[in-house]
């Protein structure tokens, strides 16, 4: 066999192994959530291409920067704010109420998180932020469990709107965390993450209160 | 359009709402009219194959593959109106995937460093002479370690079944370049798997 020739038997063996490769591989479980968030946010990573879909090559498509738009935590956090403060009267009422803190988050940590959310300087590092993140996660779980048991008093429309809002906030949290994985000292991202957690806890808390009447 | 009311589980599949008699074309029609739930069903049907393509095109890098796959479906949603059914929907998605990969490579300077020009057939590849002869590399890993040009040609031709001309047209290169890259891929894979 010369340097540039390939033994036919070995090539056939290779092709036999190739034919046994799976044609389908399960994607990450959160992929659809990201796609849906992107669709519902109403923006695209590409412009409207001029070529037909069957022309073979999509032309006229451009990325608006290195990250696809749905990967930008700035955009997703903003979308979360918009959705949470949507025209839904019920959701607006749920957010508008101010009530005593019953979220279960340690008061000291809640104060710290509120400070993080509003402090333009932000926490010094992601490590500092994760100290209190676990409290938020616990609060979210507790509130979610309570709301599930109380949701019978809420209309399907309210539940659907709440689900949409939570989904967008969750996506913002996920994307902020992903971005922080690459840039853990980014205070802007940490503050966005804190804001998203704050929004989620507040939304769940007020909706729970509304469900309880 | 349907919505499920679960609060904590935001990704419950919609199979319960999908009529067994509803054709893919009807689903695409609904999605073209803005039905995201219908598009989710389309996603459920095609995402495995699209992800497999993306994962192999991106050299086994799962994060990059997931990003590419998600980009593909977002593009598909935005361009659904251009799909006229002249080809299989899966083929259309795959073209979007390859095109998205190429555009990402052009716009991302970091990725360009890894995506070798298709015209460059002189690259030795990732299999250095110093690799241990005792190391047995399975086929998926071997494919992932191919130089990008050879890997793209191999994945599209030998795994996805595209013809040389189709690959050349979509990548914007000569058919001879595709064949040369494919030949290199075969040589490198045989070399790796024979160890």
């Amino acid at each position: 066999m010369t340097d540039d020739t390939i033994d036919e038997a070995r090539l056939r063996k290779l092709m036999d192994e190739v034919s046994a490769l799976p044609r389908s591989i399960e994607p990450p479980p959160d992929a659809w959530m990201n796609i849906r968030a992107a669709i519902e946010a109403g923006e695209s990573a590409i412009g409207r291409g001029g070529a037909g879909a069957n022309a073979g090559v999509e032309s006229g498509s451009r990325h608006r920067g290195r990250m696809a738009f749905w990967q930008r935590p700035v955009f997703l956090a903003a979308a979360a704010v918009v959705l949470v403060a949507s025209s839904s009267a019920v959701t607006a009422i749920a957010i508008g109420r101010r009530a005593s803190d019953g979220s279960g988050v340690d008061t000291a940590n809640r104060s710290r998180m509120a400070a993080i959310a509003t402090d333009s300087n932000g926490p010094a590092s992601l490590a500092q932020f994760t100290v209190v993140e676990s409290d938020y996660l616990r609060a979210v779980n507790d509130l979610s469990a309570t709301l599930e048991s109380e949701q019978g008093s809420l209309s399907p429309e309210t539940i659907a709107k709440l689900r949409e809002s939570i989904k967008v906030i969750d996506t913002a949290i996920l994307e902020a965390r992903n971005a922080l994985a690459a840039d853990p000292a980014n205070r802007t991202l940490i503050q966005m993450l804190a804001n998203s957690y704050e929004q989620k806890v507040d939304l769940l808390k007020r909706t729970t209160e509304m469900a309880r009447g | 359009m349907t919505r499920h009311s679960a609060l904590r589980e935001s990704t419950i599949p919609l199979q319960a709402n999908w009529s067994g008699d509803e054709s893919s074309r009807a689903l695409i029609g609904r999605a073209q009219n803005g039905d995201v739930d219908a598009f989710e069903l389309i996603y459920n049907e095609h995402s495995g194959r699209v992800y497999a393509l993306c994962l192999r095109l991106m050299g086994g890098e799962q994060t990059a593959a997931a990003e590419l796959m998600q980009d593909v479906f977002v593009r598909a949603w935005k361009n659904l109106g251009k799909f006229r059914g002249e080809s299989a929907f899966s083929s259309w998605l795959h073209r979007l995937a390859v095109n998205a990969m190429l555009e990402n490579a052009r716009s991302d300077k970091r990725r360009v460093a890894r995506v070798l020009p298709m015209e460059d057939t002189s690259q030795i590849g990732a299999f250095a002479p110093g690799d241990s002869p005792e190391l047995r590399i399975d086929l998926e890993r071997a494919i992932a370690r191919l130089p990008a040009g050879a890997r793209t040609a191999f994945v599209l031709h030998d795994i996805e079944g595209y013809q040389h001309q189709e690959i050349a047209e979509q990548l914007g290169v000569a058919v001879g370049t595709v064949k040369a890259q494919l030949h290199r891929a075969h040589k490198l894979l045989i070399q790796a798997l024979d160890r």
Side-chain angles (χ1 to χ4, degrees):
Chain A
M1 176 174 141
T2 65
D3 185 58
D4 202 41
T5 59
I6 295 176
D7 180 78
E8 284 300 317
R10 290 158 105 186
L11 183 58
R12 276 197 298 275
K13 181 169 179 278
L14 172 64
M15 289 301 109
D16 286 343
E17 292 189 35
V18 170
S19 66
L21 288 175
R23 292 300 184 264
S24 179
I25 298 174
E26 190 69 26
D30 62 343
W32 171 250
M33 181 179 71
N34 291 335
I35 293 166
R36 184 160 193 147
I39 290 171
E40 291 177 345
E43 189 175 333
S44 173
I46 60 173
R48 295 195 175 273
N54 296 311
V57 178
E58 286 282 323
S59 62
S61 302
R62 294 288 182 268
H63 272 288
R64 295 177 191 168
R66 184 163 297 173
M67 295 168 74
F69 81 94
W70 49 264
Q71 294 177 299
R72 299 179 195 159
V74 174
F75 178 84
L76 289 169
V81 171
V82 169
L83 188 55
V84 167
S86 71
S87 59
S88 163
V90 176
T91 305
I93 290 172
I95 294 172
R97 283 187 185 177
R98 284 285 168 188
S100 58
D101 191 312
S103 64
V105 179
D106 175 78
T107 303
N109 282 338
R110 190 72 194 274
S111 299
R112 193 183 319 165
M113 284 310 305
I116 289 173
T118 55
D119 181 8
S120 59
N121 291 323
S125 68
L126 180 58
Q128 180 183 359
F129 175 84
T130 55
V131 172
V132 296
E133 186 182 20
S134 60
D135 286 323
Y136 268 103
L137 293 174
R138 199 157 42 242
V140 165
N141 284 336
D142 291 345
L143 285 167
S144 296
T146 303
L147 190 53
E148 271 201 19
S149 66
E150 306 277 354
Q151 66 174 299
S153 61
L154 296 173
S155 69
E157 291 75 21
T158 301
I159 294 173
K161 186 63 78 173
L162 173 65
R163 172 179 167 267
E164 289 177 35
S165 299
I166 290 176
K167 188 180 294 182
V168 175
I169 297 174
D170 282 346
T171 301
I173 290 172
L174 177 66
E175 293 304 329
R177 275 217 145 270
N178 286 341
L180 278 166
D183 189 7
N186 190 317
R187 289 188 173 187
T188 301
L189 289 175
I190 294 172
Q191 190 165 342
M192 282 182 211
L193 186 58
N195 288 342
S196 295
Y197 275 121
E198 193 75 23
Q199 287 169 3
K200 186 170 183 178
V201 170
D202 282 347
L203 178 61
L204 287 170
K205 184 164 67 73
R206 293 181 173 84
T207 309
T208 301
E209 291 162 359
M210 185 171 62
R212 287 171 170 169
Chain B
M1 300 183 196
T2 58
R3 295 281 189 273
H4 62 81
S5 60
L7 287 170
R8 303 182 78 175
E9 182 57 64
S10 61
T11 56
I12 292 177
L14 298 176
Q15 282 82 353
N17 297 319
W18 181 17
S19 164
D21 295 326
E22 188 165 56
S23 67
S24 294
R25 188 169 296 280
L27 266 183
I28 293 168
R30 282 170 53 194
Q32 286 173 328
N33 288 327
D35 187 342
V36 180
D37 292 340
F39 192 65
E40 182 176 0
L41 294 176
I42 294 171
Y43 168 83
N44 290 340
E45 182 179 350
H46 295 280
S47 59
R49 284 213 54 184
V50 173
Y51 183 66
L53 171 63
C54 293
L55 188 61
R56 289 173 179 137
L57 286 175
M58 300 308 291
E61 293 186 23
Q62 295 183 13
T63 300
E67 290 176 5
L68 178 61
M69 186 200 73
Q70 288 164 82
D71 194 14
V72 168
F73 278 97
V74 173
R75 289 174 182 234
W77 172 259
K78 294 299 292 183
N79 291 281
L80 268 177
K82 297 176 184 173
F83 177 73
R84 293 182 286 273
E86 295 167 6
S87 66
F89 190 76
S90 58
S91 300
W92 185 67
L93 283 178
H94 282 206
R95 280 196 295 273
L96 285 183
V98 174
N99 200 53
M101 179 199 71
L102 294 174
E103 289 191 17
N104 290 353
R106 292 187 201 110
S107 65
D108 187 336
K109 292 182 180 178
R110 288 175 300 172
R111 286 174 180 169
V112 163
R114 299 200 303 268
V115 176
L116 302 172
M118 283 294 290
E119 292 75 11
D120 183 359
T121 60
S122 64
Q123 294 293 323
I124 298 299
F127 308 108
D131 281 354
S132 166
E134 295 81 31
L135 182 63
R136 184 69 183 174
I137 306 174
D138 66 28
L139 181 53
E140 290 278 19
R141 289 171 59 196
I143 294 169
R145 292 177 63 183
L146 285 171
R151 184 174 67 240
T152 300
F154 178 80
V155 169
L156 293 179
H157 184 269
D158 291 334
I159 299 181
E160 298 297 329
Y162 288 95
Q163 301 301 309
H164 297 122
Q165 182 64 38
E166 291 177 291
I167 298 170
E169 284 175 1
Q170 186 157 17
L171 299 182
V173 300
V175 172
T177 301
V178 174
K179 290 181 177 178
Q181 289 287 9
L182 193 58
H183 180 77
R184 174 154 295 279
H186 292 159
K187 280 188 62 179
L188 291 172
L189 288 172
I190 289 170
Q191 176 185 353
L193 296 174
D194 278 352
R195 292 183 181 175

